Amino acid sequence: MNVVCIGTGYVGINTAAALAYIGHSVCGVDIDEHKINLLKSHKAPISEAGLDELLSQKMNLTFTTCLEDCVNTADVIFIAVGTPSLPNGHANLSYVMSAAEDIANSLMPIHDVTIVVKSTVPVGVNSMIERQIRDKVTMRCGSDALLHFSSNPEFLREGMALSDTFYPDRFVFGTEDDKAYQMLTTLFAPIIDQTFEPPAFVEMPDPRPKTQCIHTDAISAEMIKYASNVFLALKISYANEIAGLVEKLGGNMDDISRGMGMDKRIAPYFLKSGLGWGGSCFPKDSLALLSMAKDYDYQMPIVQAAVDVNERQKTRLIQKVIDKLHILPGRRIAILGLSFKPRTDDVRNSPSVDIAKELVRRQAIVTVHDPQGLDNARVIYKNEGFIFCTDPIEAAQNADAIIITTDWAEYKNIDWKDMAKAVKTPFLFDARNLLRNELDKVKDFVYIGM
Ligand code: UDX
């Protein structure tokens, strides 16, 4: 099939490349010329395991900044652009609406074409997009009969994006149009049936999963995405709330999470306590859900509590540091980890960065390190007063305390003996509980977990 993917961010580029790999002819479109030029030379604009290798495969994958180049041969058009938060918590729909506008202005359907919203959009936006495109295409071409629409939310995780794209737990197709459903199930058939040759450079879950499909209406599909993301976020906040009580009462939170997770109804995932959740989905989606509810005069105290507990984790950590160092002005503090989670260079919406900023605000001298995110951080946070260090030991020199803010596996294998020699005072705050079960490694430190 001929596919167009508008947006080459995490969702768009992984979807485009995976669809090309399974045999479709795909064109990725983005307004960002720099990204498109990188992609044309088979380079990924984001750091994602296996993506560079996938982009250099021999397959039918092209890129352009001009939607008109490819829109009229497409069987399926994906809208996969960002929906970041507005200051009031609502999702910013300007990119989605502008993609819809571009489609509406350039599409001249001479065969069936299905327009699919992959971007995470508030409930009702699929229907709004459909209306806008239908009206304009009818005005220009006299008919909208060949147009079909579906919501198809995406659940990939950064750092595992390709693995999640090739081996998803489920597909959600939100459409009441049989043709759209049929086109999408045909398009994704090799993934739904897991009949494609597994790419060697993409991590495959063991056992290879059975992908499930749910066919529902667009409103339910939109809500499945928000309800799933926010449920995961509140699961983590619940674990963090329990961990705070365990800290007072005694007990081992890792064992408690493991014990809870042995119940199939609870499952062992997203129960890891620590500094809390960040990234480009959980924070924005929980705020968007709260904003949607507010618009309809509906309270969501559980979601609100998940957000509050997540914020409280940062305050708890700062308080722990103050309890040991007493004053912060002039203290030298090494932050290990800036990305919002390991295995990604994405340092946006990261609780680790919030901690570094707060320490700077309180006049501490803050050195920062990250195994992958340093280059991004140097650009995005160049005016935050951080001292960027390419090595953890450099960050630790003469420090009054070290804080592990992201659970990078690399930090387990640092020579902690050398780190202890480098610091001024051996306080180690492990805000991700990375070394909680390997205290031998850090026995030269006063160890404080979360
Ligand atoms: C998430 C969803 O998992 C994905 O399905 C959705 O499409 C996009 O949002 P992502 O933002 O890439 O993916 O990160 P994820 O791996 O879910 O982690 C989110 C945050 O939760 C990270 O900051 C991570 O450190 C934190 N986390 C995760 C915990 O604190 N504890 C856990 O047990 C799991």
Side-chain angles (χ1 to χ4, degrees), residues 235 260-269 271:
K235 219 178 154 187
M260 287 170 66
M262 284 171 184
D263 184 328
K264 283 195 196 69
R265 294 168 302 173
I266 297 175
Y269 317 105
L271 287 175

Side-chain angles (χ1 to χ4, degrees), residues 229-245 253 257 260 269-278 282-283 286 301-314 316 351 432 450:
N229 267 3
V230 177
F231 181 74
L232 292 173
L234 70 87
K235 219 178 154 187
I236 301 167
S237 281
Y238 181 71
N240 281 330
E241 189 169 296
I242 295 289
L245 185 61
M253 190 58 203
S257 294
M260 287 170 66
Y269 317 105
F270 285 71
L271 287 175
K272 200 158 166 278
S273 61
L275 189 52
W277 35 270
F282 289 178
S286 49
I302 296 179
V303 176
Q304 185 61 57
V307 172
D308 294 345
V309 167
N310 201 49
E311 281 309 303
R312 190 176 68 175
Q313 288 307 94
K314 296 172 205 164
R316 283 186 60 219
R432 294 289 177 181
M450 277 294 280

Side-chain angles (χ1 to χ4, degrees), residues 155-158 229 236 270-272 277-278 281 340-341:
F155 299 94
L156 57 81
R157 294 160 293 172
E158 288 185 25
N229 267 3
I236 301 167
F270 285 71
L271 287 175
K272 200 158 166 278
W277 35 270
C281 291
F340 77 97
K341 65 172 186 180

Side-chain angles (χ1 to χ4, degrees), residues 184-360:
L184 283 173
T185 46
T186 307
L187 181 80
F188 287 114
I191 298 180
I192 294 170
D193 302 331
Q194 289 291 306
T195 50
F196 62 90
E197 182 62 35
F201 42 84
V202 175
E203 197 174 311
M204 179 163 77
D206 182 21
R208 193 168 174 170
K210 286 201 182 354
T211 299
Q212 304 188 74
C213 293
I214 175 162
H215 182 186
T216 181
D217 56 88
I219 288 181
S220 306
E222 289 166 331
M223 187 52 94
I224 287 172
K225 174 67 197 256
Y226 281 104
S228 301
N229 267 3
V230 177
F231 181 74
L232 292 173
L234 70 87
K235 219 178 154 187
I236 301 167
S237 281
Y238 181 71
N240 281 330
E241 189 169 296
I242 295 289
L245 185 61
V246 168
E247 190 174 273
K248 292 189 184 293
L249 304 182
N252 178 322
M253 190 58 203
D254 291 331
D255 287 348
I256 294 165
S257 294
R258 224 177 25 251
M260 287 170 66
M262 284 171 184
D263 184 328
K264 283 195 196 69
R265 294 168 302 173
I266 297 175
Y269 317 105
F270 285 71
L271 287 175
K272 200 158 166 278
S273 61
L275 189 52
W277 35 270
S280 47
C281 291
F282 289 178
K284 98 174 156 68
D285 292 351
S286 49
L287 292 184
L289 193 59
L290 286 170
S291 303
M292 267 183 259
K294 197 163 168 233
D295 285 349
Y296 291 90
D297 217 6
Y298 183 71
Q299 306 294 312
M300 296 193 89
I302 296 179
V303 176
Q304 185 61 57
V307 172
D308 294 345
V309 167
N310 201 49
E311 281 309 303
R312 190 176 68 175
Q313 288 307 94
K314 296 172 205 164
T315 319
R316 283 186 60 219
L317 174 62
I318 297 288
Q319 193 52 53
K320 280 169 189 268
V321 177
I322 292 171
D323 287 348
K324 291 292 179 210
L325 300 189
H326 304 298
I327 56 157
L328 292 180
R331 298 290 199 204
R332 198 175 172 90
I333 300 179
I335 294 285
L336 298 190
L338 288 174
S339 56
F340 77 97
K341 65 172 186 180
R343 296 181 60 167
T344 175
D345 66 351
D346 193 347
V347 294
R348 299 163 303 167
N349 303 311
S350 170
S352 316
V353 173
D354 291 342
I355 292 298
K357 280 186 183 172
E358 178 61 12
L359 291 170
V360 169

Side-chain angles (χ1 to χ4, degrees), residues 378-422:
R378 277 186 216 273
V379 177
I380 303 176
Y381 303 115
K382 62 173 182 290
N383 298 324
E384 296 296 341
F386 304 159
I387 301 170
F388 296 98
C389 302
T390 47
D391 201 294
I393 194 101
E394 183 192 340
Q397 278 318 317
N398 225 12
D400 294 285
I402 297 175
I403 312 180
I404 300 175
T405 39
T406 310
D407 41 345
W408 282 100
E410 282 89 332
Y411 293 149
K412 279 194 173 183
N413 304 321
I414 295 178
D415 188 332
W416 284 101
K417 277 196 176 332
D418 279 356
M419 293 287 273
K421 282 180 205 145

